[in-house]
Amino acid sequence: MRSSIQIILGDRAKAHIANKGLKPEDICAIPAAAGGPKGLILQGLDQYLFNDWLGPDHLQKRAEQGVKPLQLIGASIGAWRMAAAASSKPAATLKRLAQQYVEAQNYDKGVDRFEISRVCKNMVQAVVADEAQHMVKPLGKELLVWVNKGLTPLHHAQQQRARKRGFASAVLANSVNRNRLSSYFERWVFQSPGARTDWLKQAFDRIPTRIEDLDALNIHDALLASGSIPFVLNPVHKIAHALREDHPEVKYHEGPFWDGGLTDYHLALPYHRLDGLVLYPHFAPTVTPGWLDKFLKLRKANPDWMSNVILVCPSPEFVKRLPAKKIPDRSDFKRYNFDHRIRIPLWQAAIRESERMAEDFSTWLANVNR
């Protein structure tokens, strides 16, 4: 039987593996893309990575050897996955995330954005549970959550009609040049306090980037904002500042805050600036810069930026063998006519099948380390 995974190596990653194999301490960062239900197909691989290969034994060894913390970088569902991976109990939290995502979204036909926003807010609360402090300051890891703040004409447009005009204008501007999104969005990265994010502070495109600290007070809203798809959910209107000992009063960053994937759908970032290798569990074999670039087939990640990336994704053969012959996606709600008796078992089956990806990745690791 053919492998369930496809592995795509950048030139630097390929040379490293050919000469030295691949050890857990070689990995410096793990990105997790936006993409809604598509992230469910990575549940098995996430479980293996964060509970076994990059689990507690590795984190202890990493600390003893003075290796830098592992950066967990996520947008939208990817931010939720990486927050779960940052918890003190990744296995249980990742499982809880998958269960919530599959079962809690039990929408009726004609559901509006207010109800979807309510459900997603409850999902975030259920996933974070009592793990907020661990997610913000994870042992041996650093969490980076991607969010977008709407600028003029999105910032002041409070009416849906005005916002639609603003987003339509952003779509047109992006089709001409991705850098024109700088007039519409500001990229916000909410990070674990003290995270090593110098590689993001030097501009890599014209979209302004702002870096703020996470804490137990703002992680819920940061995660909710990271997944707030325009017109599907409401924006998050404000996110609390991380509290400081010398300034204990609560202040707020004013929004509107939207989905982190709008500017950085698959997190096509300048990974080449990092010292180590980047392990990228992904649901697709290509990395698309922004959500609006989905419709521009020629716009892909800069290959120079991806030179140290190890991308692991489902193989076409594996996808064809899934019960629905496809990876779960957001269109499934309408595809199955909001009949959750059909959708839920299919999504659950895809999660079970995803365990094969973990098995095949483990086999690949054994082969490259012979």
Side-chain angles (χ1 to χ4, degrees), residues 349-367:
I351 291 171
R352 289 193 297 272
E353 288 295 313
S354 74
E355 295 175 7
R356 291 184 44 220
M357 294 179 63
E359 294 168 2
D360 287 341
F361 182 69
S362 178
T363 299
W364 178 80
L365 283 173
N367 290 334

Side-chain angles (χ1 to χ4, degrees), residues 40 43 93-105 123 348 351:
L40 296 173
Q43 173 73 193
T93 312
L94 284 163
K95 185 176 181 180
R96 187 164 68 247
L97 168 58
Q99 182 178 8
Q100 283 286 319
Y101 204 90
V102 172
E103 298 178 14
Q105 299 192 86
M123 281 199 293
Q348 290 171 332
I351 291 171

